[in-house]
Amino acid sequence: QVQLVESGGGLVQAGGSLRLSCAASGRTLSNYAMGWFRQAPGNEREFVAHITRSGGNLYYADSAKGRFTISRDNAKSTVYLQMNNLKPEDTAIYYCAARLYLSNSYSQPSVYPNWGRGTQVTVSS
């Protein structure tokens, strides 16, 4: 069991940047693969990015590729999502998620048993 708390969301103009943080507690973060998801009103939860336990492999949704960067600092028990060149369609609640066991289905919410409460990102046009 791990507890996750997201922060860093806010209001930004299109083309701007935000860095989201996900602070973990309860268990050693290095044991967990981590993902970022987002959900906009009226939409299903959407995969954004994933990072493996060691941080050696990164995976991104097509919508995030080239603009977003996921990283982790296990010593600080924190995962980050750097978001650049933000677009209005990026507006959503962003959630951090963690999974302990190995899975190839990193883009599927169902493989992540642990979730934060989310942080709101709003991008104005």
Side-chain angles (χ1 to χ4, degrees):
Q1 189 70 39
V2 63
Q3 292 76 48
L4 306 173
V5 180
E6 302 94 337
S7 63
L11 175 64
V12 64
Q13 292 186 345
S17 299
L18 286 172
R19 187 184 70 173
L20 306 184
S21 298
C22 174
S25 63
R27 299 180 74 172
T28 304
L29 184 64
S30 62
N31 292 332
Y32 292 87
M34 305 294 295
W36 284 98
F37 293 78
R38 66 189 184 187
Q39 188 165 18
N43 292 343
E44 295 183 348
R45 189 162 40 184
E46 178 186 23
F47 169 72
V48 177
H50 174 86
I51 187 167
T52 53
R53 290 180 295 174
S54 67
N57 291 285
L58 313 176
Y59 304 94
Y60 298 96
D62 289 341
S63 60
K65 188 73 173 180
R67 299 188 300 125
F68 295 1
T69 302
I70 187 171
S71 62
R72 67 191 299 159
D73 187 340
N74 288 337
K76 296 181 178 179
S77 297
T78 302
V79 177
Y80 304 95
L81 184 67
Q82 178 67 46
M83 304 186 295
N84 298 326
N85 191 25
L86 284 162
K87 304 175 181 180
E89 52 262 42
D90 295 319
T91 296
I93 300 175
Y94 282 70
Y95 297 93
C96 179
R99 64 172 178 86
L100 183 61
Y101 300 105
L102 186 65
S103 175
N104 290 328
S105 302
Y106 54 82
S107 64
Q108 299 299 315
S110 61
V111 308
Y112 298 87
N114 301 292
W115 294 83
R117 295 180 179 179
T119 184
Q120 177 70 49
V121 172
T122 303
V123 184
S124 62
S125 59

